[in-house]
Amino acid sequence: MSAAAPAAAAAGAAIAYSPARLDALLAEGRPVFVNMTAAWCITCLVNERTALSADSVQAALAAGNIAYVKGDWTNRDPAITALLERHGRSGVPLYLFYAGGGAAPVVLPQILTPAIVLEHIGRATAALSRQSASIPTPAGSVRP
């Protein structure tokens, strides 16, 4: 996979960031990985090449039906600036992982490895599995 197309989600390519898109994905209860980046950000580019494009990360995103949302702050988009500020950042990179089910986002480190990303995906998958297992099913129905 090329560095130009990192971390495609289960549905295909990255979803372009907008506050409305992020809110809609979160309203679905879906896990979301947010990558705030810029073309001039060397750390961002290295993370995309070494961690986010790793086959293991790509597979985990797809297997977990995790939406991959990418925001381009190259030209200082005001909506991205607002998100950065909400998380105490004055610039990129910013990586957020929403585990789904209404959980608050986890701010990942600015330098990523595949293991760091996979650890957060694994925690979210386990938590969502526990959550769905605790939901009672109507009498006589079978959980898929």
Side-chain angles (χ1 to χ4, degrees):
M1 169 122 331
S2 75
I15 300 165
Y17 172 77
S18 77
R21 281 190 195 107
L22 179 58
D23 289 346
L25 289 165
L26 296 175
E28 292 175 11
R30 186 170 175 196
V32 180
F33 185 94
V34 176
N35 172 8
M36 292 297 151
T37 186
W40 43 260
C41 174
I42 300 301
T43 302
C44 303
L45 297 172
V46 169
N47 286 335
E48 288 180 6
R49 285 196 181 131
T50 61
L52 300 176
S53 292
D55 290 342
S56 57
V57 170
Q58 299 271 324
L61 289 169
N65 192 30
I66 299 167
Y68 178 77
V69 175
K70 186 174 182 179
D72 183 357
W73 199 57
T74 300
N75 296 315
R76 314 281 184 176
D77 179 287
I80 294 172
T81 301
L83 183 68
L84 293 170
E85 289 173 352
R86 268 197 315 275
H87 294 284
R89 297 285 174 86
S90 59
V92 293
L94 174 64
Y95 305 105
L96 301 173
F97 187 72
Y98 294 84
V106 173
V107 178
L108 278 67
Q110 290 182 317
I111 297 176
L112 297 178
T113 64
I116 290 169
V117 178
L118 292 171
E119 176 184 344
H120 288 283
I121 292 172
R123 284 186 202 163
T125 303
L128 288 175
S129 293
R130 283 191 304 273
Q131 187 179 43
S132 70
S134 67
I135 298 171
T137 57
S141 68
V142 177
R143 186 183 312 262

